[in-house]
């Protein structure tokens, strides 16, 4: 049964996201509570830390990509950069401007970035069709 559940790409994405979220939240709470960092900065720091683990786990486990790392890593970095900006924007809005507790603000920001990251990574960073169509386009221009 576990094997059949793990065949679902979205389930694997959620597992990897859970690990990345644990990394980000640990960094967030540690830096806010111990080092008294601003919640937006702390969340952004955690996002960057979790991105490396997220890339490797998504490449090998979630999407089981056979794309070259050079292409997939660049695309993942672009998606992660947009997710980073979305996360920081949501944290600024929720924690700073609307005065939500920083952990609740992070939970809501995580939902927003989860949707963006899954869609963009499955369609563009690690998707087979996306990279094949990109290479087809390159062949047509040569």
């Amino acid at each position: 049964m576990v094997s059949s559940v793990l065949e679902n790409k979205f389930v694997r994405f959620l597992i990897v996201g859970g690990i990345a979220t644990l990394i980000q939240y640990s960094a967030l709470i540690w830096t806010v509570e111990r080092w008294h960092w601003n919640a937006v900065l702390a969340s952004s720091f955690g996002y960057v830390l979790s991105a490396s683990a997220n890339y490797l786990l998504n490449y090998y486990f979630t999407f089981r990509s056979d794309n070259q790392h050079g292409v997939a890593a660049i695309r993942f970095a672009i998606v992660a950069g947009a997710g980073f900006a979305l996360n920081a924007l949501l944290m600024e809005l929720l924690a700073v401007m609307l005065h939500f507790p920083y952990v609740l603000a992070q939970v809501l920001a995580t939902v927003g970035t989860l949707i963006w990251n899954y869609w963009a990574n499955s369609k563009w960073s690690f998707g087979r069709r996306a990279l094949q169509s990109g290479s087809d386009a390159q062949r047509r221009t040569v």
Side-chain angles (χ1 to χ4, degrees):
M1 180 168 140
V2 171
S3 175
S4 64
V5 170
L6 291 179
E7 288 303 312
N8 184 303
K9 188 185 328 183
F10 189 69
V11 170
R12 292 191 310 265
F13 182 81
L14 290 175
I15 291 168
V16 169
I19 293 167
T21 299
L22 179 63
I23 293 168
Q24 182 177 8
Y25 281 52
S26 296
L28 168 70
I29 294 167
W30 181 265
T31 54
V32 168
E33 298 298 326
R34 294 290 181 186
W35 297 340
H36 308 289
W37 284 18
N38 167 285
V40 177
L41 177 64
S43 175
S44 298
F45 174 70
Y47 192 94
V48 169
L49 287 180
S50 69
S52 296
N54 204 335
Y55 172 74
L56 292 171
L57 289 170
N58 275 316
Y59 184 88
Y60 290 109
F61 177 67
T62 304
F63 300 108
R64 298 175 181 166
S65 182
D66 55 4
N67 298 328
Q68 295 180 347
H69 277 290
V71 174
I74 290 169
R75 289 182 175 198
F76 179 86
I78 292 167
V79 170
F84 175 87
L86 177 61
N87 178 74
L89 177 69
L90 290 171
M91 285 297 291
E92 179 70 25
L93 173 68
L94 298 169
V96 177
M97 298 172 77
L98 297 177
H99 306 289
F100 280 40
Y102 74 91
V103 174
L104 175 59
Q106 185 61 69
V107 168
L108 297 172
T110 298
V111 171
T113 58
L114 171 95
I115 294 165
W116 160 252
N117 285 334
Y118 180 77
W119 179 82
N121 281 314
S122 67
K123 298 296 181 196
W124 194 56
S125 302
F126 301 114
R128 287 189 180 105
R129 276 187 255 131
L131 291 181
Q132 288 171 352
S133 65
S135 62
D136 290 345
Q138 287 175 339
R139 274 183 257 153
R140 283 193 296 268
T141 60
V142 175

